[in-house]
Amino acid sequence: MIASEGGYVRCYISARTGDEQLIGRMIMKRKPAMVCVALVILSAAAGCSAAQNSAAPAGSNQEDLEFSSEETDEEDAVDAFAAEDILNFVFEGEEYTIPFPYEQLQASGWTVAPDMDEIYGEGEDRVLLFMEHPDYEEILMTVSSKTMSAGIKDTESLVCELEENGVWGLGVSLESMDLLSDTSLYPEFVIRGVGFGSSAADVLAAFGDGYSSSFSSPEDGIYVYDVQEKMGEDMVDYHLEICLEDDQVASLDILVYYY
Protein backbone atom coordinates (compact mmCIF):
# COMPACT_ATOMS: atom_id res chain seq x y z
CA MET A 1 0.00 0.00 0.00
CA ILE A 2 1.40 3.38 -1.01
CA ALA A 3 -0.19 6.64 0.09
CA SER A 4 0.12 9.71 -2.10
CA GLU A 5 -0.63 13.37 -1.54
CA GLY A 6 -3.02 14.69 -4.16
CA GLY A 7 -3.66 11.36 -5.78
CA TYR A 8 -3.87 7.65 -5.39
CA VAL A 9 -1.83 4.69 -6.41
CA ARG A 10 -3.25 1.33 -7.41
CA CYS A 11 -0.85 -1.54 -6.82
CA TYR A 12 -0.81 -5.05 -8.24
CA ILE A 13 1.40 -7.48 -6.39
CA SER A 14 1.65 -11.19 -7.09
CA ALA A 15 3.42 -13.40 -4.57
CA ARG A 16 3.98 -17.08 -5.32
CA THR A 17 5.76 -19.37 -2.90
CA GLY A 18 6.21 -22.18 -5.43
CA ASP A 19 9.56 -20.74 -6.46
CA GLU A 20 9.87 -18.55 -3.35
CA GLN A 21 10.07 -15.42 -5.45
CA LEU A 22 8.14 -12.19 -5.16
CA ILE A 23 6.91 -10.80 -8.46
CA GLY A 24 5.60 -7.25 -8.28
CA ARG A 25 3.93 -4.88 -10.66
CA MET A 26 2.54 -1.45 -9.92
CA ILE A 27 0.02 0.43 -11.99
CA MET A 28 -0.24 4.11 -11.11
CA LYS A 29 -2.83 6.70 -12.03
CA ARG A 30 -2.91 10.16 -10.47
CA LYS A 31 -6.08 12.12 -9.71
CA PRO A 32 -6.77 15.43 -7.92
CA ALA A 33 -8.11 13.95 -4.68
CA MET A 34 -6.34 11.98 -1.96
CA VAL A 35 -7.45 8.37 -2.15
CA CYS A 36 -5.16 5.38 -1.85
CA VAL A 37 -6.16 2.05 -3.34
CA ALA A 38 -4.14 -1.18 -3.41
CA LEU A 39 -4.98 -4.40 -5.20
CA VAL A 40 -2.96 -7.21 -3.63
CA ILE A 41 -3.26 -10.66 -5.16
CA LEU A 42 -1.77 -13.47 -3.08
CA SER A 43 -1.07 -16.65 -4.98
CA ALA A 44 0.52 -18.73 -2.23
CA ALA A 45 0.78 -22.41 -3.06
CA ALA A 46 3.89 -24.55 -3.48
CA GLY A 47 4.38 -25.72 -7.05
CA CYS A 48 1.52 -23.65 -8.45
CA SER A 49 1.19 -23.74 -12.23
CA ALA A 50 1.55 -20.85 -14.66
CA ALA A 51 -1.52 -18.79 -15.50
CA GLN A 52 -3.91 -20.66 -17.76
CA ASN A 53 -5.91 -19.02 -20.55
CA SER A 54 -8.87 -21.40 -20.33
CA ALA A 55 -12.00 -19.57 -19.14
CA ALA A 56 -15.72 -19.92 -18.69
CA PRO A 57 -18.09 -18.47 -21.31
CA ALA A 58 -19.47 -15.00 -20.75
CA GLY A 59 -22.63 -15.02 -18.71
CA SER A 60 -21.72 -18.15 -16.77
CA ASN A 61 -22.11 -18.13 -13.00
CA GLN A 62 -20.65 -19.57 -9.84
CA GLU A 63 -21.71 -23.06 -10.88
CA ASP A 64 -18.35 -23.07 -12.68
CA LEU A 65 -16.65 -22.66 -9.31
CA GLU A 66 -16.75 -26.01 -7.56
CA PHE A 67 -14.96 -25.55 -4.28
CA SER A 68 -12.48 -28.14 -3.03
CA SER A 69 -13.23 -30.18 0.07
CA GLU A 70 -9.83 -29.62 1.64
CA GLU A 71 -10.13 -28.90 5.34
CA THR A 72 -9.38 -25.43 6.66
CA ASP A 73 -6.60 -25.15 9.22
CA GLU A 74 -8.01 -25.00 12.71
CA GLU A 75 -6.39 -21.65 13.42
CA ASP A 76 -8.20 -20.14 10.41
CA ALA A 77 -11.58 -21.71 11.18
CA VAL A 78 -12.85 -18.82 13.30
CA ASP A 79 -14.05 -15.77 11.35
CA ALA A 80 -12.41 -17.14 8.20
CA PHE A 81 -13.01 -15.34 4.92
CA ALA A 82 -14.73 -17.63 2.41
CA ALA A 83 -14.73 -17.65 -1.39
CA GLU A 84 -18.51 -17.34 -1.45
CA ASP A 85 -18.28 -13.98 0.31
CA ILE A 86 -17.43 -12.08 -2.89
CA LEU A 87 -19.15 -14.00 -5.69
CA ASN A 88 -22.41 -12.04 -5.39
CA PHE A 89 -22.85 -8.29 -5.01
CA VAL A 90 -25.08 -5.35 -5.97
CA PHE A 91 -23.84 -2.77 -8.47
CA GLU A 92 -25.95 0.17 -9.65
CA GLY A 93 -29.06 -1.47 -8.22
CA GLU A 94 -28.57 -4.77 -10.06
CA GLU A 95 -27.45 -8.12 -8.67
CA TYR A 96 -24.23 -9.46 -10.17
CA THR A 97 -22.56 -12.87 -9.93
CA ILE A 98 -18.93 -13.49 -10.83
CA PRO A 99 -18.25 -14.09 -13.65
CA PHE A 100 -20.64 -11.79 -15.49
CA PRO A 101 -20.83 -10.53 -19.12
CA TYR A 102 -18.68 -7.53 -20.00
CA GLU A 103 -21.62 -6.32 -22.10
CA GLN A 104 -23.58 -5.79 -18.91
CA LEU A 105 -21.27 -2.90 -18.00
CA GLN A 106 -21.35 -1.50 -21.53
CA ALA A 107 -25.15 -1.50 -21.49
CA SER A 108 -25.02 0.57 -18.29
CA GLY A 109 -22.91 3.27 -19.97
CA TRP A 110 -19.39 2.24 -18.90
CA THR A 111 -16.65 2.75 -21.51
CA VAL A 112 -12.90 2.14 -21.68
CA ALA A 113 -10.87 5.01 -20.22
CA PRO A 114 -9.18 6.90 -23.11
CA ASP A 115 -5.85 7.10 -21.26
CA MET A 116 -5.29 3.33 -20.97
CA ASP A 117 -2.07 3.59 -22.99
CA GLU A 118 -0.78 6.26 -20.59
CA ILE A 119 -1.51 4.10 -17.54
CA TYR A 120 0.52 1.17 -18.88
CA GLY A 121 4.03 1.35 -20.23
CA GLU A 122 4.98 -0.02 -23.63
CA GLY A 123 5.07 -3.82 -23.57
CA GLU A 124 3.36 -4.07 -20.17
CA ASP A 125 0.62 -6.66 -19.63
CA ARG A 126 -2.84 -5.05 -19.49
CA VAL A 127 -3.66 -6.45 -16.05
CA LEU A 128 -6.70 -4.27 -15.38
CA LEU A 129 -9.09 -2.45 -17.72
CA PHE A 130 -9.83 1.08 -16.51
CA MET A 131 -13.37 2.26 -17.25
CA GLU A 132 -15.35 5.49 -16.87
CA HIS A 133 -18.96 6.66 -16.88
CA PRO A 134 -20.35 10.09 -17.87
CA ASP A 135 -22.53 10.22 -14.74
CA TYR A 136 -19.63 9.53 -12.36
CA GLU A 137 -16.80 11.90 -13.21
CA GLU A 138 -14.90 11.34 -9.96
CA ILE A 139 -14.97 7.56 -9.92
CA LEU A 140 -12.22 5.10 -10.80
CA MET A 141 -13.42 1.66 -11.91
CA THR A 142 -11.35 -1.31 -13.02
CA VAL A 143 -12.32 -4.76 -14.26
CA SER A 144 -10.19 -7.87 -14.72
CA SER A 145 -10.25 -11.20 -16.52
CA LYS A 146 -10.06 -14.76 -15.24
CA THR A 147 -6.27 -14.93 -15.62
CA MET A 148 -5.54 -11.24 -14.94
CA SER A 149 -4.85 -10.90 -18.69
CA ALA A 150 -1.45 -12.59 -18.56
CA GLY A 151 0.37 -11.92 -21.83
CA ILE A 152 -2.11 -9.36 -23.17
CA LYS A 153 -0.18 -6.29 -24.35
CA ASP A 154 -2.88 -4.05 -25.86
CA THR A 155 -6.25 -2.69 -24.77
CA GLU A 156 -8.19 -4.13 -27.72
CA SER A 157 -7.08 -7.67 -26.90
CA LEU A 158 -8.01 -7.21 -23.23
CA VAL A 159 -11.50 -6.06 -24.22
CA CYS A 160 -11.85 -9.11 -26.49
CA GLU A 161 -10.78 -11.37 -23.60
CA LEU A 162 -13.45 -9.83 -21.35
CA GLU A 163 -16.10 -10.07 -24.06
CA GLU A 164 -15.32 -13.73 -24.67
CA ASN A 165 -14.77 -14.97 -21.11
CA GLY A 166 -16.56 -12.53 -18.86
CA VAL A 167 -15.54 -10.21 -16.00
CA TRP A 168 -13.96 -11.88 -12.95
CA GLY A 169 -12.99 -8.81 -10.94
CA LEU A 170 -14.41 -5.36 -10.21
CA GLY A 171 -12.94 -2.44 -8.30
CA VAL A 172 -14.50 0.97 -7.64
CA SER A 173 -12.93 3.93 -5.84
CA LEU A 174 -14.13 7.39 -4.82
CA GLU A 175 -11.73 10.19 -5.70
CA SER A 176 -13.17 12.40 -2.97
CA MET A 177 -15.02 11.57 0.22
CA ASP A 178 -17.17 14.65 -0.46
CA LEU A 179 -19.04 12.49 -2.98
CA LEU A 180 -20.74 10.67 -0.10
CA SER A 181 -22.96 13.71 0.40
CA ASP A 182 -24.77 12.96 -2.88
CA THR A 183 -25.50 9.35 -3.86
CA SER A 184 -26.09 10.38 -7.49
CA LEU A 185 -22.36 11.11 -7.86
CA TYR A 186 -21.18 7.51 -7.41
CA PRO A 187 -22.47 4.04 -8.31
CA GLU A 188 -23.98 1.84 -5.64
CA PHE A 189 -21.57 -1.03 -4.94
CA VAL A 190 -22.51 -3.30 -2.03
CA ILE A 191 -20.92 -6.58 -0.94
CA ARG A 192 -22.61 -8.39 1.97
CA GLY A 193 -24.10 -5.10 3.14
CA VAL A 194 -20.82 -3.16 2.95
CA GLY A 195 -20.70 -0.21 0.57
CA PHE A 196 -19.33 3.30 0.26
CA GLY A 197 -19.63 5.13 3.57
CA SER A 198 -19.73 1.94 5.65
CA SER A 199 -17.54 1.89 8.77
CA ALA A 200 -14.73 -0.42 9.87
CA ALA A 201 -17.19 -1.99 12.32
CA ASP A 202 -19.47 -2.77 9.37
CA VAL A 203 -16.58 -4.40 7.49
CA LEU A 204 -15.66 -6.60 10.46
CA ALA A 205 -19.29 -7.53 11.08
CA ALA A 206 -19.67 -8.67 7.47
CA PHE A 207 -16.33 -10.37 6.84
CA GLY A 208 -14.87 -11.08 10.28
CA ASP A 209 -11.38 -10.43 11.60
CA GLY A 210 -9.69 -13.08 9.44
CA TYR A 211 -8.10 -10.48 7.19
CA SER A 212 -4.51 -10.87 5.98
CA SER A 213 -2.15 -9.72 8.71
CA SER A 214 0.64 -9.27 6.15
CA PHE A 215 -1.18 -6.90 3.80
CA SER A 216 -3.87 -5.31 5.96
CA SER A 217 -3.38 -2.22 8.07
CA PRO A 218 -6.50 -1.60 10.19
CA GLU A 219 -4.99 1.51 11.75
CA ASP A 220 -4.80 2.97 8.23
CA GLY A 221 -8.24 1.68 7.24
CA ILE A 222 -6.96 -1.11 4.97
CA TYR A 223 -8.56 -4.58 5.11
CA VAL A 224 -7.35 -7.29 2.73
CA TYR A 225 -9.09 -10.67 2.70
CA ASP A 226 -7.72 -13.52 0.59
CA VAL A 227 -8.21 -17.27 0.23
CA GLN A 228 -7.11 -19.86 -2.35
CA GLU A 229 -8.95 -22.95 -3.58
CA LYS A 230 -7.75 -25.89 -5.66
CA MET A 231 -9.81 -26.21 -8.84
CA GLY A 232 -8.77 -29.20 -10.92
CA GLU A 233 -5.22 -28.45 -12.05
CA ASP A 234 -5.60 -24.73 -11.27
CA MET A 235 -5.47 -22.67 -8.12
CA VAL A 236 -8.09 -19.95 -7.72
CA ASP A 237 -7.51 -16.82 -5.66
CA TYR A 238 -10.54 -15.08 -4.11
CA HIS A 239 -9.59 -11.58 -3.08
CA LEU A 240 -11.30 -8.65 -1.39
CA GLU A 241 -9.76 -5.33 -0.48
CA ILE A 242 -11.54 -2.53 1.35
CA CYS A 243 -9.97 0.88 2.06
CA LEU A 244 -11.47 3.48 4.38
CA GLU A 245 -10.94 7.20 4.83
CA ASP A 246 -12.06 8.71 8.17
CA ASP A 247 -13.78 5.41 9.02
CA GLN A 248 -15.83 5.44 5.83
CA VAL A 249 -15.36 2.98 2.96
CA ALA A 250 -13.74 4.79 0.02
CA SER A 251 -12.88 1.84 -2.23
CA LEU A 252 -13.93 -1.76 -2.81
CA ASP A 253 -12.02 -4.30 -4.92
CA ILE A 254 -13.07 -7.89 -5.56
CA LEU A 255 -11.27 -10.40 -7.71
CA VAL A 256 -11.41 -14.06 -8.70
CA TYR A 257 -8.16 -15.09 -10.35
CA TYR A 258 -7.05 -18.43 -11.85
CA TYR A 259 -3.39 -19.42 -12.06
Side-chain angles (χ1 to χ4, degrees), residues 18-87:
D19 54 8
E20 298 184 354
Q21 293 181 349
L22 179 66
I23 303 170
R25 175 157 304 162
M26 303 175 66
I27 299 170
M28 301 184 179
K29 181 176 175 66
R30 303 286 178 173
K31 290 291 183 179
M34 179 179 178
V35 180
C36 182
V37 183
L39 177 58
V40 181
I41 303 143
L42 302 176
S43 304
C48 63
S49 61
Q52 301 292 320
N53 285 321
S54 59
S60 59
N61 55 37
Q62 74 261 45
E63 293 177 358
D64 295 324
L65 307 176
E66 299 177 358
F67 306 118
S68 69
S69 58
E70 295 179 1
E71 293 183 359
T72 303
D73 292 338
E74 183 177 350
E75 63 180 0
D76 296 329
V78 178
D79 292 327
F81 172 68
E84 296 92 334
D85 290 345
I86 62 170
L87 293 180

Side-chain angles (χ1 to χ4, degrees), residues 125-144:
D125 287 356
R126 265 45 175 178
V127 179
L128 302 171
L129 182 71
F130 288 73
M131 304 191 74
E132 61 183 23
H133 194 289
D135 292 342
Y136 311 123
E137 295 183 357
E138 295 188 74
I139 295 297
L140 169 70
M141 189 174 87
T142 60
V143 298
S144 58

